[in-house]
Amino acid sequence: MTDLLLHTAQELHKLPRTGRRAVVMTMGALHEGHATLIRTAREEAGPQGQVVATVFVNPLQFGAGEDLDRYPRTLDADLAIAEEAGADAVFAPAVDEVYPGGDPQVRISAGPMGERLEGATRPGHFDGMLTVVAKLLHLTRPDLALFGQKDAQQLALIRRMVTDLNFPVEVVGVPTVREEDGLALSSRNRYLSAAERHTALALSRALFAGRDRLAAQAALRARAEASPASDERATALARLGEIRASADAHAVSAAGAGLPDAVRAAALHILDEAGRHEPPLVLDYLALVDPLDFTETGQDFTGQAVLAVAAKVGSTRLIDNIPLEFGAHS
């Protein structure tokens, strides 16, 4: 495994290049989610291509009071996972190799999108993230770079940076990997006690509840479009004493309005319940956003949206999200 490991930019630049090069950037403490990224990179690069994984805990993206010193560092285990998943090399530089002059005076700005949601909670986080991603793209010189969709805002910002600053790289998003119980894989999950983990399941349950509400409301809306006089029908049914059928017809009639709010409400109901657990879930945000700029969706929104959540359980902060599709008539 030592042949796999590179510590300096000079060693990295001496790495023979074969075919397409794919890079997977991590902060270490690798788990099955990272392994999935590396396996996907292997598939994308092809048998003649090359996969480089990076392991670097970037101090620029940790704010005051965050867990920089506590963040797990498990390089030997990371090397084993990376090799088994198909990496050809692991670039694990020291801080002074990436920032030889100390903290860089020139950094990438994440702009307005970097000040929303995660950026509002963690000021400067995305500036630090984009700065190191830009540096690692220059150092590794890949044809494609793979990132997990679990960090949806991060992925959106990297795509925006690559487009706006003309980086010659293809950015590939890889779906979130989950435990059997639905919890999104994260290096921070290891901090959770058994009781905290039970509470943390509310994050994914809330997202799935929002997704299910969208599907149910969309089905009702389709019925409403097929029965445009459903409100009049409901009134007539009520006069005849068909109360259950009348209530159903009213639901069909009302299905056309407020889909984003209905999705948010379904998710928030689960999160509110988890706030009464022991230990409680402390909600940071629940947001239904446009993935292009991470602004909140309006009631007439169509297209793909992201339902995102962040919360603390004990001292551990977790994030999760799922994509949702709001059709022109859904």
Side-chain angles (χ1 to χ4, degrees):
M1 283 190 295
T2 54
D3 293 340
L4 199 72
L5 182 60
L6 308 173
H7 286 296
T8 68
Q10 185 176 19
E11 292 173 334
L12 183 62
H13 291 158
K14 287 180 179 178
L15 182 68
R17 194 180 186 105
T18 59
R20 293 215 306 165
R21 177 179 287 180
V23 66
V24 174
M25 299 182 190
T26 83
M27 292 208 301
L30 301 192
H31 50 62
E32 179 56 27
H34 298 109
T36 298
L37 284 168
I38 295 170
R39 285 194 293 267
T40 305
R42 179 79 275 156
E43 293 170 5
E44 292 280 343
Q48 304 305 316
Q50 189 175 65
V51 176
V52 177
T54 70
V55 174
F56 180 65
V57 181
N58 177 33
L60 295 191
Q61 63 195 73
F62 288 80
E66 293 188 336
D67 57 354
L68 173 61
D69 294 333
R70 184 187 173 206
Y71 198 87
R73 291 160 172 84
T74 57
L75 184 56
D76 288 343
D78 295 344
L79 288 171
I81 291 171
E83 183 175 41
E84 183 176 357
D88 297 298
V90 174
F91 179 49
V95 172
D96 59 5
E97 179 71 22
V98 178
Y99 305 120
D103 285 356
Q105 296 186 40
V106 176
R107 308 187 187 196
I108 301 288
S109 169
M113 182 165 41
E115 297 171 359
R116 298 171 188 137
L117 300 187
E118 286 297 291
T121 299
R122 307 175 67 189
H125 165 74
F126 285 125
D127 292 355
M129 178 276 294
L130 289 178
T131 298
V132 79
V133 168
K135 292 205 72 165
L136 289 172
L137 287 175
H138 287 311
L139 289 168
T140 59
R141 295 174 293 181
D143 297 292
L144 61 159
L146 293 89
F147 298 91
Q149 291 177 0
K150 175 178 162 293
D151 296 297
Q153 193 172 3
Q154 170 179 284
L155 175 59
L157 281 162
I158 291 169
R159 282 181 165 145
R160 189 78 256 173
M161 177 184 75
V162 164
T163 298
D164 289 351
L165 301 184
N166 298 103
F167 279 75
V169 63
E170 177 187 355
V171 176
V172 177
V174 178
T176 301
V177 179
R178 298 184 180 278
E179 302 275 10
E180 287 186 9
D181 57 13
L183 187 67
L185 285 175
S186 169
S187 299
R188 290 186 170 94
N189 289 352
R190 67 187 67 198
Y191 300 152
L192 298 169
S193 68
E196 288 170 343
R197 182 187 171 87
H198 179 73
T199 296
L201 292 176
L203 273 73
S204 56
R205 287 178 53 234
L207 297 178
F208 299 155
R211 178 195 61 193
D212 293 345
R213 176 64 63 85
L214 175 60
Q217 292 289 103
L220 281 173
R221 178 174 286 190
R223 288 176 60 193
E225 291 174 346
S227 306
S230 55
D231 196 43
E232 291 86 343
R233 176 173 173 268
T235 302
L237 284 167
R239 290 197 190 101
L240 293 171
E242 298 288 343
I243 303 302
R244 183 171 298 176
S246 172
D248 180 65
H250 276 300
V252 169
S253 179
L259 271 179
D261 278 351
V263 168
R264 293 183 183 98
L268 193 57
H269 176 72
I270 301 294
L271 298 169
D272 285 345
E273 284 186 343
R276 295 188 287 274
H277 289 178
E278 185 53 50
L281 180 143
V282 181
L283 182 63
D284 186 346
Y285 62 76
L286 172 74
L288 183 64
V289 297
D290 184 333
L292 294 180
D293 58 9
F294 270 67
T295 56
E296 285 279 354
T297 61
Q299 291 306 304
D300 58 351
F301 181 84
T302 60
Q304 189 171 90
V306 172
L307 182 61
V309 63
K312 260 193 166 185
V313 182
S315 61
T316 303
R317 187 173 182 275
L318 300 170
I319 63 172
D320 200 353
N321 72 85
I322 57 171
L324 296 175
E325 187 72 28
F326 288 78
H329 301 288
S330 65

